[in-house]
Amino acid sequence: MVIVGGVTRLTGSGLSIVEWQPIIGTIPPFTQEDWEILLDKYRQIPQYEEVNKGMTLDEFKGIFWWEYFHRLLGRLIGLVYFIPFVYFVARKRVDRKLGLKLLGIFILGGLQGFMGWYMVMSGLADNIYVSQYRLTAHLGLAFIIYAAMFWVATGLLAPKQAQTPDTAVAASILGLRRFSFTLTGLIFVMVLSGGLVAGIHAGKAYNTFPLMDGHLIPPAMFVLEPWYRNFFDNITTVQFDHRLIAWLLIFLVPIFWFKARKVSLSGTARFASHLLVIALMIQVGLGITTLLLSVPLTFAAAHQAGAMLLFTAALWVNRKLS
């Protein structure tokens, strides 16, 4: 779902459907007349006039299907989640504590659907693209939902067992756990910064590495007023911040790995720490490649998938240290 959402944005497909019809919208266009009506509605928004003016029907179909599939997948996820949830609750297979967790995830899913439409609305009137703030919120909420599902699922698959470890070992694991949660939070912040990069197309600029067009700190960092706008609207600052967080992770994750080697951990916890380092290496490689090639679709989508894999590895480390 996250990957399809990323491709939808990268292909400029997100505004191809200008109405939110949760029920009727599941039916795709069948006739030539249906297609003409949809294209005519798209012609009424600024993106068509300023970006895709003169687009043919076949070209419109190319962007329509990405957005349609993204919305359809969202509806399908809702059904696949809700129907078994009701079944298991009715059969009393879910206790109150777990039921509340699952209900909370379902509510977050519904909120995500609303957030998706709220994001689309920002590109229908005065802008040719959706708001980077709403795009970032939509992406961040997707990761929060995923984290909640992952945490509940891993708790069910491997319930925590009561243990009375050595006091010194317990203290070491506690410190390592705090470190791992900090890393997870930093990875999430990096995801949000990536949403801002995507929202203002900052990846199309400064396509050099490790310097930004020959500068360690580019001179255009604070050209907007008031100053805080630069962190959200300035292509230079937004990309610099994304790089800075990546550099922090490049230094901190290996430090975490070395610390983990000195602590007595279970086999799966140690394996999870190895995967965290590997996932970071893959993600950094994908990020640099995407940047140097000026954000090609394949590598950009892989970079977004890599963020999810890195986030997953961090969550698994957290779970195994809890």
Side-chain angles (χ1 to χ4, degrees):
M1 181 64 172
V2 171
I3 293 170
V4 171
V7 173
T8 299
R9 184 202 60 78
L10 289 163
T11 55
S13 305
L15 298 177
S16 59
I17 303 177
V18 300
E19 296 175 321
W20 190 29
Q21 299 172 313
I23 305 301
I24 300 176
T26 58
I27 304 172
F30 290 107
T31 67
Q32 183 72 13
E33 182 182 4
D34 292 338
W35 281 111
E36 293 291 349
I37 290 173
L38 288 171
L39 178 55
D40 187 59
K41 290 178 179 178
Y42 179 65
R43 289 185 178 124
Q44 310 305 312
I45 68 172
Q47 187 183 80
Y48 174 82
E49 286 294 325
E50 298 187 37
V51 179
N52 291 323
K53 192 172 180 63
M55 171 180 273
T56 66
L57 183 57
D58 285 339
E59 291 171 334
F60 174 72
K61 289 179 180 179
I63 64 172
F64 171 87
W65 285 119
W66 277 115
E67 175 64 6
Y68 173 80
F69 184 59
H70 186 51
R71 296 192 188 193
L72 185 66
L73 192 57
R75 296 179 176 104
L76 181 61
I77 289 172
L79 286 175
V80 169
Y81 189 100
F82 183 69
I83 293 174
F85 172 63
V86 171
Y87 172 81
F88 285 121
V89 168
R91 295 289 300 273
K92 301 188 186 308
R93 297 289 299 277
V94 176
D95 61 34
R96 179 180 175 82
K97 184 178 180 181
L98 177 59
L100 289 175
K101 291 178 182 177
L102 297 176
L103 179 61
I105 293 172
F106 181 75
I107 292 172
L108 286 176
L111 179 62
Q112 177 72 327
F114 172 77
M115 180 59 71
W117 174 243
Y118 183 60
M119 176 187 69
V120 169
M121 285 175 58
S122 66
L124 297 180
D126 302 318
N127 303 310
I128 60 174
Y129 298 111
V130 299
S131 161
Q132 71 267 31
Y133 302 104
R134 299 185 191 184
L135 173 68
T136 301
H138 190 50
L139 177 64
L141 186 53
F143 272 73
I144 290 172
I145 293 170
Y146 176 79
M149 291 192 298
F150 182 90
W151 200 258
V152 171
T154 51
L156 292 172
L157 290 169
K160 185 177 180 181
Q161 310 221 343
Q163 297 180 3
T164 55
D166 178 81
T167 304
V169 173
S172 299
I173 292 178
L174 178 60
L176 202 59
R177 183 190 310 159
R178 290 171 177 167
F179 195 173
S180 72
F181 273 97
T182 300
L183 287 176
T184 305
L186 189 58
I187 291 169
F188 182 67
V189 172
M190 187 179 70
V191 168
L192 297 181
S193 73
L196 291 174
V197 169
I200 62 175
H201 301 86
K204 296 287 188 179
Y206 300 101
N207 301 111
T208 60
F209 187 86
L211 301 178
M212 296 177 66
D213 288 353
H215 299 280
L216 182 62
I217 300 178
M221 288 275 289
F222 290 97
V223 295
L224 300 181
E225 293 291 343
W227 63 269
Y228 56 80
R229 280 190 55 214
N230 290 281
F231 293 99
F232 309 103
D233 300 326
N234 185 335
I235 287 176
T236 303
T237 312
V238 167
Q239 191 189 122
F240 178 84
D241 291 343
H242 192 57
R243 290 185 183 217
L244 180 61
I245 297 171
W247 278 115
L248 284 173
L249 288 170
I250 288 170
F251 284 105
L252 291 176
V253 169
I255 291 174
F256 172 82
W257 183 78
F258 279 112
K259 284 181 173 291
R261 289 189 63 190
K262 298 177 181 179
V263 177
S264 177
L265 299 176
S266 66
T268 51
R270 194 165 301 284
F271 181 60
S273 70
H274 296 334
L275 282 185
L276 180 61
V277 176
I278 294 171
L280 177 66
M281 292 170 60
I282 293 172
Q283 178 64 346
V284 169
L286 286 172
I288 294 172
T289 304
T290 302
L291 179 70
L292 295 179
L293 297 179
S294 298
V295 198
L297 176 61
T298 303
F299 280 101
H303 187 48
Q304 184 154 316
M308 183 65 85
L309 291 176
L310 178 59
F311 190 58
T312 302
L315 288 173
W316 196 32
V317 170
N318 296 159
R319 170 56 82 183
K320 289 303 167 183
L321 293 177
S322 296

